[in-house]
Amino acid sequence: MPRPPESQGNPPEKLWGGRFSPEGGRLAEAFTASIGFDRRLWRQDIRGSLAHARMLGAAGVLAREEVETIVEGLGRVAGELEAGTFPYRVEAEDIHSNIELRLTELIGPVAGKLHTARSRNDQVALDVHLFLRDEIPGVVRRLRDLQTVLVERAETDFGRVMPGYTHLQPAQPVLVSHHWLAYFWMLERDRGRLIRAWQEADRLPLGAGALAGVPYPINPDQVGRELGFSRRYANSLDAVSDRDYVLDFLFACTVLMVHCSRLTEEIVLWTSQEFGFLELDDAWATGSSIMPHKKNPDPAELVRGKTGRVTGNLMALLMTVKALPLAYHTDLQEDKERLFDTLDTINACLQVLAGLLATARLRPEGLERALAGSVITATELADYLAERGVPFREAHRLAGQVVRHCLERGISLQELAPQTLAGFSPDFGPEVLARLDPAASVARRTSPGGTAPRRVAEQIALCREILVLDPLTPSEAAAKI
Ligand code: ARG
């Protein structure tokens, strides 16, 4: 059968044609149509319709032959959608109506029975629930890939010492591995948030009808079983009005993007000439059109920049839902572009970040330069005195005087003579000098979760235990710390 050309010829009659005059305003039509983006839900829409039709058959609402015809017809529609030959029509507004219209063309008026005991309001809610359940596992796997890269980096860079910062001022030395692993744990919490978002999407809204329920002997639990939902909504008004599950996903992605933004900000800093801690592989950097010497971290900057749009998507949907009376309003159609954009952005950013980090090269000479001649181990002086019974406040004051002495002379703590130190406090013995080496300072921070190499090695082992678990199940391994 020749396919009608897209959006040409006589517009088909609207699904609500009984009440409205046929000449609809073209502008209103184009403005209202969501087919340009919600076509992405076609798989979920077909799956939901198949389950609904079978349930109507089992409930005796439709005859067996009618269900068979509808199921066979939906299969043909799905074939066209899959093959890219489906005739999308803007006049049919959205993916739900487009599919129903095509089904009618293929199997005739019996197609009109598919929408018995269903509204587009519970249909679209079902599609989005299914979509999130389909897509979240992919996000979690990409997040897990990034976690794997962080652990591999922690292993490769093990033993390297860097300045740890507070206020972006050198604070205390830490292992580079410790720094990488801090991001591993941030992502591990993101993984938990994504899994909880998946669980929130795991609730069946179909059966709510337009808003009030339906007057047919339907069995939502059959639909739920076929589609693999573990529970359903208890209130039909809530079922069609709820977008919390989309917000939960957008929030989980926003926090994840904020973490990616912090990491990429550090990559931008570390690859600067001034820090010089890290060098990006050429594939993950770009040059300048005018300055031949430049090597810019554009992909990292873009990940940082895209945090704005992901956060904006969350804000946009929050504002859409705010003050929206029950039940369905077309405002809710605005959820989809926000959702798709966040999903695509997060998937791209996670992959870019994993590739970029896996191939970046640590620059030990930059780390050494940042540590050499510094007073970054001054806390050791205070801790040393405190161990000998000097109240920590007093110990801190004395160590501060030593720091000032060094800064005035432009020398590092390690360059101090033992007798100079003893001049500040008789409690300073010559063995304190060995503690002022950054690596020695790191090795002494053995408290649980501290940066001492043996503690970081424990962390790596724990991360490895987590990495072999199925990323989609909440992990208990962290409880073993
Ligand atoms: N395209 C709509 C959406 O995405 C589907 C539901 C439309 N329902 C309605 N009564 N207009 O939200």
Side-chain angles (χ1 to χ4, degrees), residues 34 38 93-94 96 120-121 124 328 330 332-333 336:
S34 53
D38 69 11
E93 200 174 297
D94 58 20
H96 327 291
R120 276 188 302 158
N121 300 349
V124 71
Y328 179 85
T330 308
L332 293 174
Q333 180 169 288
K336 276 164 236 46

Side-chain angles (χ1 to χ4, degrees), residues 259-297:
H259 291 156
C260 292
S261 179
R262 295 178 77 168
L263 178 53
T264 44
E265 166 72 6
E266 302 222 71
I267 291 168
V268 170
L269 282 174
W270 289 13
T271 53
S272 68
Q273 295 246 337
E274 288 70 12
F275 274 78
F277 293 177
L278 201 66
E279 167 139 29
L280 293 172
D281 188 86
D282 284 355
W284 294 105
T286 39
S288 155
S289 57
I290 174 169
M291 299 164 282
H293 63 290
K294 294 275 278 175
K295 181 170 177 181
N296 297 331

Side-chain angles (χ1 to χ4, degrees), residues 273-350:
Q273 295 246 337
E274 288 70 12
F275 274 78
F277 293 177
L278 201 66
E279 167 139 29
L280 293 172
D281 188 86
D282 284 355
W284 294 105
T286 39
S288 155
S289 57
I290 174 169
M291 299 164 282
H293 63 290
K294 294 275 278 175
K295 181 170 177 181
N296 297 331
D298 292 53
E301 290 169 33
L302 260 181
V303 171
R304 187 178 59 184
K306 285 178 189 293
T307 307
R309 69 196 274 166
V310 170
T311 309
N313 287 337
L314 170 65
M315 293 305 145
L317 187 59
L318 279 170
M319 288 306 101
T320 298
V321 178
K322 169 195 168 293
L324 203 61
L326 299 180
Y328 179 85
H329 298 82
T330 308
D331 309 46
L332 293 174
Q333 180 169 288
E334 286 285 301
D335 62 352
K336 276 164 236 46
E337 285 164 293
R338 309 281 62 86
L339 166 58
F340 298 153
D341 185 70
T342 285
L343 177 69
D344 294 340
T345 305
I346 206 98
N347 277 336
C349 288
L350 288 172

Side-chain angles (χ1 to χ4, degrees), residues 91-271:
E91 313 84 64
E93 200 174 297
D94 58 20
I95 187 63
H96 327 291
S97 307
N98 264 273
I99 288 177
E100 189 180 326
L101 184 65
R102 185 66 186 141
L103 186 66
T104 310
E105 286 170 352
L106 293 175
I107 67 171
V110 67
K113 296 203 172 190
L114 172 60
H115 215 49
T116 314
R118 185 176 75 168
S119 151
R120 276 188 302 158
N121 300 349
D122 57 347
Q123 185 179 358
V124 71
L126 172 64
D127 291 3
V128 177
H129 279 82
L130 286 171
F131 181 81
L132 277 168
R133 285 192 347 174
D134 289 347
E135 294 294 333
I136 290 176
V139 180
V140 172
R141 288 200 184 88
R142 288 180 185 93
L143 177 145
R144 177 45 61 84
D145 290 344
L146 178 56
Q147 285 184 301
T148 305
V149 169
L150 285 163
V151 174
E152 283 166 2
R153 283 231 68 120
E155 288 167 344
T156 315
D157 301 335
F158 194 79
R160 298 285 183 199
V161 178
M162 61 174 274
Y165 295 86
T166 63
H167 313 269
L168 209 55
Q169 304 290 332
Q172 292 177 343
V174 293
L175 285 191
V176 173
S177 307
H178 199 48
H179 200 99
W180 294 134
L181 292 182
Y183 284 99
F184 174 94
W185 296 111
M186 289 150 84
L187 295 178
E188 187 60 9
R189 290 192 296 276
D190 290 323
R191 196 176 66 81
R193 266 183 285 274
L194 284 166
I195 290 171
R196 289 194 288 282
W198 188 95
Q199 288 164 342
E200 286 301 318
D202 183 27
R203 192 180 276 119
L204 174 77
L206 202 75
L211 74 164
V214 296
Y216 300 90
I218 59 163
N219 180 2
D221 290 333
Q222 180 184 333
V223 177
R225 262 193 312 278
E226 179 168 339
L227 297 175
F229 282 97
S230 56
R231 58 201 165 148
R232 59 179 158 84
Y233 283 84
N235 180 311
S236 61
L237 286 169
D238 184 34
V240 291
S241 310
D242 178 28
R243 290 297 180 275
D244 295 358
Y245 54 102
V246 183
L247 288 170
D248 283 332
F249 175 69
L250 296 185
F251 176 72
C253 289
T254 299
V255 181
L256 170 53
M257 274 306 281
V258 166
H259 291 156
C260 292
S261 179
R262 295 178 77 168
L263 178 53
T264 44
E265 166 72 6
E266 302 222 71
I267 291 168
V268 170
L269 282 174
W270 289 13
T271 53

